[in-house]
Amino acid sequence: MFRPLPFNLRENAEKGQEMLGKALETVMEHSFNPFDKVGGMLFPFRVDVIDCENCYELFAELPGFTKEAIEVSYNEDGRLRIKAERVVPEEPEAKYLCHERKAGVFERSFLIDDVDETEVSVSYEAGILHVILPKLEVKKSCRVFTIQ
């Protein structure tokens, strides 16, 4: 089973509270279709997940990152974590007229119960991270017992 973890509240409650506060502020400020902007604040990058017969396929939009700045990990408790870091050089004398590009650490986590972690495949091209998570084989054998 595949379950997204939107905030990582257990690990960082303050960050989750701050993101929720920003989302609520955005809803109050924008009367026209606010949910698109709220989604961008709740989730640091967009992800599509496809449930195929033998695997899960995950596509994450990470434009402007290098392969070296992206880390994909899967740990024993079934948590897939995608973490990317963007460092923007500070220019102390720069006078920004518009400053919308965000810097820092961007992270998403998902709980996945049935992944064969030895066969996971990760690739990155044209700003899209592609993760293939093969499912563990389910034993389909059935043993019938004789009732005495």
Side-chain angles (χ1 to χ4, degrees):
M1 178 179 287
F2 196 94
R3 295 180 302 275
L5 298 174
F7 294 115
N8 261 346
L9 289 177
R10 186 180 339 159
E11 296 171 9
N12 194 347
E14 289 179 11
K15 185 175 179 181
Q17 185 177 11
E18 178 184 330
M19 288 189 323
L20 184 58
K22 286 181 181 179
L24 293 174
E25 283 179 24
T26 302
V27 169
M28 299 306 262
E29 290 175 8
H30 301 285
S31 60
F32 59 96
N33 192 14
F35 296 106
D36 186 42
K37 292 199 178 268
V38 171
M41 296 182 115
L42 294 178
F43 303 115
F45 50 89
R46 296 175 191 257
V47 174
D48 290 339
V49 181
I50 302 170
D51 186 358
C52 302
E53 185 176 336
N54 297 321
C55 67
Y56 298 107
E57 284 196 62
L58 185 141
F59 297 89
E61 289 182 349
L62 293 167
F65 289 93
T66 63
K67 289 180 184 180
E68 295 77 27
I70 301 170
E71 178 183 299
V72 179
S73 62
Y74 183 80
N75 61 19
E76 295 172 356
D77 65 353
R79 183 183 302 241
L80 174 75
R81 188 180 80 167
I82 300 171
K83 179 179 174 183
E85 185 170 3
R86 179 180 295 133
V87 179
V88 176
E90 291 189 29
E91 299 175 26
E93 297 183 23
K95 182 179 177 183
Y96 285 97
L97 299 177
C98 181
H99 187 68
E100 295 180 348
R101 294 182 307 144
K102 295 182 180 182
V105 176
F106 304 87
E107 184 176 332
R108 297 273 313 259
S109 293
F110 304 90
L111 284 178
I112 312 168
D113 293 339
D114 54 349
V115 170
D116 181 0
E117 62 186 83
T118 61
E119 298 294 323
V120 172
S121 168
V122 181
S123 61
Y124 180 70
E125 186 176 338
I128 304 295
L129 180 72
H130 182 203
V131 182
I132 300 174
L133 305 153
K135 295 177 183 177
L136 288 172
E137 288 187 33
V138 178
K139 293 183 180 180
K140 295 181 180 180
S141 64
C142 179
R143 184 172 175 189
V144 178
F145 297 97
T146 305
I147 302 173
Q148 297 181 5

PDB file of all heavy atoms in Angstrom, residues 102-121:
ATOM      1  N   LYS A 102      12.559  29.695  -4.762  1.00  0.00           N
ATOM      2  CA  LYS A 102      12.823  29.304  -3.380  1.00  0.00           C
ATOM      3  C   LYS A 102      14.114  28.515  -3.294  1.00  0.00           C
ATOM      4  O   LYS A 102      14.472  27.783  -4.206  1.00  0.00           O
ATOM      5  CB  LYS A 102      11.672  28.469  -2.838  1.00  0.00           C
ATOM      6  CG  LYS A 102      10.381  29.253  -2.749  1.00  0.00           C
ATOM      7  CD  LYS A 102       9.288  28.419  -2.157  1.00  0.00           C
ATOM      8  CE  LYS A 102       8.016  29.272  -2.109  1.00  0.00           C
ATOM      9  NZ  LYS A 102       6.918  28.573  -1.505  1.00  0.00           N
ATOM     10  N   ALA A 103      14.799  28.678  -2.174  1.00  0.00           N
ATOM     11  CA  ALA A 103      16.022  27.928  -1.899  1.00  0.00           C
ATOM     12  C   ALA A 103      15.822  27.176  -0.592  1.00  0.00           C
ATOM     13  O   ALA A 103      14.900  27.459   0.167  1.00  0.00           O
ATOM     14  CB  ALA A 103      17.207  28.880  -1.794  1.00  0.00           C
ATOM     15  N   GLY A 104      16.673  26.209  -0.370  1.00  0.00           N
ATOM     16  CA  GLY A 104      16.596  25.436   0.867  1.00  0.00           C
ATOM     17  C   GLY A 104      16.395  23.961   0.583  1.00  0.00           C
ATOM     18  O   GLY A 104      16.684  23.471  -0.504  1.00  0.00           O
ATOM     19  N   VAL A 105      15.861  23.250   1.570  1.00  0.00           N
ATOM     20  CA  VAL A 105      15.648  21.809   1.464  1.00  0.00           C
ATOM     21  C   VAL A 105      14.172  21.551   1.174  1.00  0.00           C
ATOM     22  O   VAL A 105      13.301  22.086   1.849  1.00  0.00           O
ATOM     23  CB  VAL A 105      16.078  21.095   2.768  1.00  0.00           C
ATOM     24  CG1 VAL A 105      15.779  19.618   2.691  1.00  0.00           C
ATOM     25  CG2 VAL A 105      17.561  21.332   3.041  1.00  0.00           C
ATOM     26  N   PHE A 106      13.916  20.732   0.165  1.00  0.00           N
ATOM     27  CA  PHE A 106      12.566  20.350  -0.229  1.00  0.00           C
ATOM     28  C   PHE A 106      12.461  18.842  -0.021  1.00  0.00           C
ATOM     29  O   PHE A 106      13.316  18.099  -0.495  1.00  0.00           O
ATOM     30  CB  PHE A 106      12.315  20.705  -1.696  1.00  0.00           C
ATOM     31  CG  PHE A 106      12.553  22.161  -1.986  1.00  0.00           C
ATOM     32  CD1 PHE A 106      13.820  22.627  -2.325  1.00  0.00           C
ATOM     33  CD2 PHE A 106      11.515  23.064  -1.908  1.00  0.00           C
ATOM     34  CE1 PHE A 106      14.042  23.963  -2.584  1.00  0.00           C
ATOM     35  CE2 PHE A 106      11.723  24.412  -2.167  1.00  0.00           C
ATOM     36  CZ  PHE A 106      12.992  24.867  -2.505  1.00  0.00           C
ATOM     37  N   GLU A 107      11.409  18.404   0.681  1.00  0.00           N
ATOM     38  CA  GLU A 107      11.332  16.987   1.044  1.00  0.00           C
ATOM     39  C   GLU A 107       9.907  16.478   1.018  1.00  0.00           C
ATOM     40  O   GLU A 107       8.981  17.184   1.428  1.00  0.00           O
ATOM     41  CB  GLU A 107      11.927  16.808   2.450  1.00  0.00           C
ATOM     42  CG  GLU A 107      12.010  15.397   2.908  1.00  0.00           C
ATOM     43  CD  GLU A 107      12.700  15.271   4.256  1.00  0.00           C
ATOM     44  OE1 GLU A 107      13.544  16.123   4.591  1.00  0.00           O
ATOM     45  OE2 GLU A 107      12.375  14.323   4.964  1.00  0.00           O
ATOM     46  N   ARG A 108       9.731  15.243   0.536  1.00  0.00           N
ATOM     47  CA  ARG A 108       8.454  14.532   0.580  1.00  0.00           C
ATOM     48  C   ARG A 108       8.729  13.122   1.065  1.00  0.00           C
ATOM     49  O   ARG A 108       9.764  12.539   0.755  1.00  0.00           O
ATOM     50  CB  ARG A 108       7.794  14.426  -0.803  1.00  0.00           C
ATOM     51  CG  ARG A 108       7.400  15.713  -1.474  1.00  0.00           C
ATOM     52  CD  ARG A 108       6.040  16.269  -1.137  1.00  0.00           C
ATOM     53  NE  ARG A 108       4.909  15.391  -1.159  1.00  0.00           N
ATOM     54  CZ  ARG A 108       4.011  15.298  -2.129  1.00  0.00           C
ATOM     55  NH1 ARG A 108       4.151  16.005  -3.225  1.00  0.00           N
ATOM     56  NH2 ARG A 108       2.975  14.507  -2.017  1.00  0.00           N
ATOM     57  N   SER A 109       7.785  12.550   1.810  1.00  0.00           N
ATOM     58  CA  SER A 109       7.898  11.179   2.296  1.00  0.00           C
ATOM     59  C   SER A 109       6.634  10.409   1.995  1.00  0.00           C
ATOM     60  O   SER A 109       5.535  10.972   2.001  1.00  0.00           O
ATOM     61  CB  SER A 109       8.139  11.165   3.811  1.00  0.00           C
ATOM     62  OG  SER A 109       9.394  11.696   4.121  1.00  0.00           O
ATOM     63  N   PHE A 110       6.797   9.103   1.779  1.00  0.00           N
ATOM     64  CA  PHE A 110       5.676   8.207   1.489  1.00  0.00           C
ATOM     65  C   PHE A 110       5.886   6.905   2.246  1.00  0.00           C
ATOM     66  O   PHE A 110       7.009   6.439   2.367  1.00  0.00           O
ATOM     67  CB  PHE A 110       5.602   7.896  -0.008  1.00  0.00           C
ATOM     68  CG  PHE A 110       5.516   9.117  -0.876  1.00  0.00           C
ATOM     69  CD1 PHE A 110       6.658   9.740  -1.347  1.00  0.00           C
ATOM     70  CD2 PHE A 110       4.281   9.649  -1.208  1.00  0.00           C
ATOM     71  CE1 PHE A 110       6.579  10.864  -2.140  1.00  0.00           C
ATOM     72  CE2 PHE A 110       4.192  10.783  -2.008  1.00  0.00           C
ATOM     73  CZ  PHE A 110       5.338  11.395  -2.472  1.00  0.00           C
ATOM     74  N   LEU A 111       4.806   6.329   2.759  1.00  0.00           N
ATOM     75  CA  LEU A 111       4.874   5.001   3.367  1.00  0.00           C
ATOM     76  C   LEU A 111       4.467   3.983   2.315  1.00  0.00           C
ATOM     77  O   LEU A 111       3.400   4.104   1.707  1.00  0.00           O
ATOM     78  CB  LEU A 111       3.929   4.902   4.564  1.00  0.00           C
ATOM     79  CG  LEU A 111       4.384   5.576   5.845  1.00  0.00           C
ATOM     80  CD1 LEU A 111       3.320   5.439   6.925  1.00  0.00           C
ATOM     81  CD2 LEU A 111       5.696   4.993   6.329  1.00  0.00           C
ATOM     82  N   ILE A 112       5.316   2.977   2.121  1.00  0.00           N
ATOM     83  CA  ILE A 112       5.057   1.944   1.128  1.00  0.00           C
ATOM     84  C   ILE A 112       5.329   0.600   1.791  1.00  0.00           C
ATOM     85  O   ILE A 112       6.443   0.326   2.208  1.00  0.00           O
ATOM     86  CB  ILE A 112       5.968   2.110  -0.103  1.00  0.00           C
ATOM     87  CG1 ILE A 112       5.945   3.553  -0.578  1.00  0.00           C
ATOM     88  CG2 ILE A 112       5.547   1.159  -1.199  1.00  0.00           C
ATOM     89  CD1 ILE A 112       7.005   3.863  -1.570  1.00  0.00           C
ATOM     90  N   ASP A 113       4.296  -0.244   1.883  1.00  0.00           N
ATOM     91  CA  ASP A 113       4.409  -1.499   2.618  1.00  0.00           C
ATOM     92  C   ASP A 113       5.116  -2.614   1.872  1.00  0.00           C
ATOM     93  O   ASP A 113       5.812  -3.408   2.463  1.00  0.00           O
ATOM     94  CB  ASP A 113       3.006  -2.007   3.000  1.00  0.00           C
ATOM     95  CG  ASP A 113       2.327  -1.102   3.999  1.00  0.00           C
ATOM     96  OD1 ASP A 113       3.029  -0.351   4.683  1.00  0.00           O
ATOM     97  OD2 ASP A 113       1.091  -1.141   4.072  1.00  0.00           O
ATOM     98  N   ASP A 114       4.929  -2.722   0.586  1.00  0.00           N
ATOM     99  CA  ASP A 114       5.293  -3.943  -0.133  1.00  0.00           C
ATOM    100  C   ASP A 114       6.289  -3.718  -1.269  1.00  0.00           C
ATOM    101  O   ASP A 114       6.054  -4.092  -2.396  1.00  0.00           O
ATOM    102  CB  ASP A 114       4.028  -4.605  -0.671  1.00  0.00           C
ATOM    103  CG  ASP A 114       3.188  -3.653  -1.523  1.00  0.00           C
ATOM    104  OD1 ASP A 114       3.480  -2.445  -1.521  1.00  0.00           O
ATOM    105  OD2 ASP A 114       2.255  -4.115  -2.177  1.00  0.00           O
ATOM    106  N   VAL A 115       7.461  -3.135  -0.954  1.00  0.00           N
ATOM    107  CA  VAL A 115       8.458  -2.825  -1.977  1.00  0.00           C
ATOM    108  C   VAL A 115       9.659  -3.752  -1.860  1.00  0.00           C
ATOM    109  O   VAL A 115      10.157  -4.011  -0.766  1.00  0.00           O
ATOM    110  CB  VAL A 115       8.925  -1.354  -1.850  1.00  0.00           C
ATOM    111  CG1 VAL A 115      10.122  -1.079  -2.736  1.00  0.00           C
ATOM    112  CG2 VAL A 115       7.791  -0.424  -2.187  1.00  0.00           C
ATOM    113  N   ASP A 116      10.118  -4.249  -3.008  1.00  0.00           N
ATOM    114  CA  ASP A 116      11.362  -5.020  -3.063  1.00  0.00           C
ATOM    115  C   ASP A 116      12.500  -4.013  -3.192  1.00  0.00           C
ATOM    116  O   ASP A 116      12.847  -3.583  -4.298  1.00  0.00           O
ATOM    117  CB  ASP A 116      11.325  -5.979  -4.252  1.00  0.00           C
ATOM    118  CG  ASP A 116      12.580  -6.831  -4.344  1.00  0.00           C
ATOM    119  OD1 ASP A 116      13.485  -6.685  -3.499  1.00  0.00           O
ATOM    120  OD2 ASP A 116      12.649  -7.644  -5.281  1.00  0.00           O
ATOM    121  N   GLU A 117      13.062  -3.615  -2.078  1.00  0.00           N
ATOM    122  CA  GLU A 117      14.035  -2.522  -2.063  1.00  0.00           C
ATOM    123  C   GLU A 117      15.323  -2.832  -2.817  1.00  0.00           C
ATOM    124  O   GLU A 117      16.051  -1.914  -3.191  1.00  0.00           O
ATOM    125  CB  GLU A 117      14.341  -2.100  -0.628  1.00  0.00           C
ATOM    126  CG  GLU A 117      14.954  -3.191   0.219  1.00  0.00           C
ATOM    127  CD  GLU A 117      15.095  -2.777   1.664  1.00  0.00           C
ATOM    128  OE1 GLU A 117      14.111  -2.887   2.391  1.00  0.00           O
ATOM    129  OE2 GLU A 117      16.195  -2.353   2.041  1.00  0.00           O
ATOM    130  N   THR A 118      15.617  -4.100  -3.071  1.00  0.00           N
ATOM    131  CA  THR A 118      16.835  -4.446  -3.810  1.00  0.00           C
ATOM    132  C   THR A 118      16.704  -4.160  -5.302  1.00  0.00           C
ATOM    133  O   THR A 118      17.695  -4.115  -6.012  1.00  0.00           O
ATOM    134  CB  THR A 118      17.184  -5.937  -3.615  1.00  0.00           C
ATOM    135  OG1 THR A 118      16.105  -6.735  -4.122  1.00  0.00           O
ATOM    136  CG2 THR A 118      17.426  -6.254  -2.149  1.00  0.00           C
ATOM    137  N   GLU A 119      15.483  -3.952  -5.798  1.00  0.00           N
ATOM    138  CA  GLU A 119      15.245  -3.745  -7.227  1.00  0.00           C
ATOM    139  C   GLU A 119      14.767  -2.333  -7.571  1.00  0.00           C
ATOM    140  O   GLU A 119      14.330  -2.095  -8.693  1.00  0.00           O
ATOM    141  CB  GLU A 119      14.215  -4.763  -7.729  1.00  0.00           C
ATOM    142  CG  GLU A 119      14.653  -6.208  -7.606  1.00  0.00           C
ATOM    143  CD  GLU A 119      15.849  -6.543  -8.502  1.00  0.00           C
ATOM    144  OE1 GLU A 119      15.908  -6.019  -9.634  1.00  0.00           O
ATOM    145  OE2 GLU A 119      16.717  -7.304  -8.044  1.00  0.00           O
ATOM    146  N   VAL A 120      14.839  -1.401  -6.630  1.00  0.00           N
ATOM    147  CA  VAL A 120      14.379  -0.026  -6.880  1.00  0.00           C
ATOM    148  C   VAL A 120      15.275   0.631  -7.930  1.00  0.00           C
ATOM    149  O   VAL A 120      16.490   0.485  -7.905  1.00  0.00           O
ATOM    150  CB  VAL A 120      14.375   0.799  -5.568  1.00  0.00           C
ATOM    151  CG1 VAL A 120      14.093   2.263  -5.848  1.00  0.00           C
ATOM    152  CG2 VAL A 120      13.356   0.231  -4.600  1.00  0.00           C
ATOM    153  N   SER A 121      14.650   1.368  -8.847  1.00  0.00           N
ATOM    154  CA  SER A 121      15.377   2.055  -9.911  1.00  0.00           C
ATOM    155  C   SER A 121      15.059   3.553  -9.839  1.00  0.00           C
ATOM    156  O   SER A 121      13.895   3.931  -9.710  1.00  0.00           O
ATOM    157  CB  SER A 121      14.930   1.483 -11.260  1.00  0.00           C
ATOM    158  OG  SER A 121      15.385   2.285 -12.305  1.00  0.00           O
TER     159      SER A 121
END
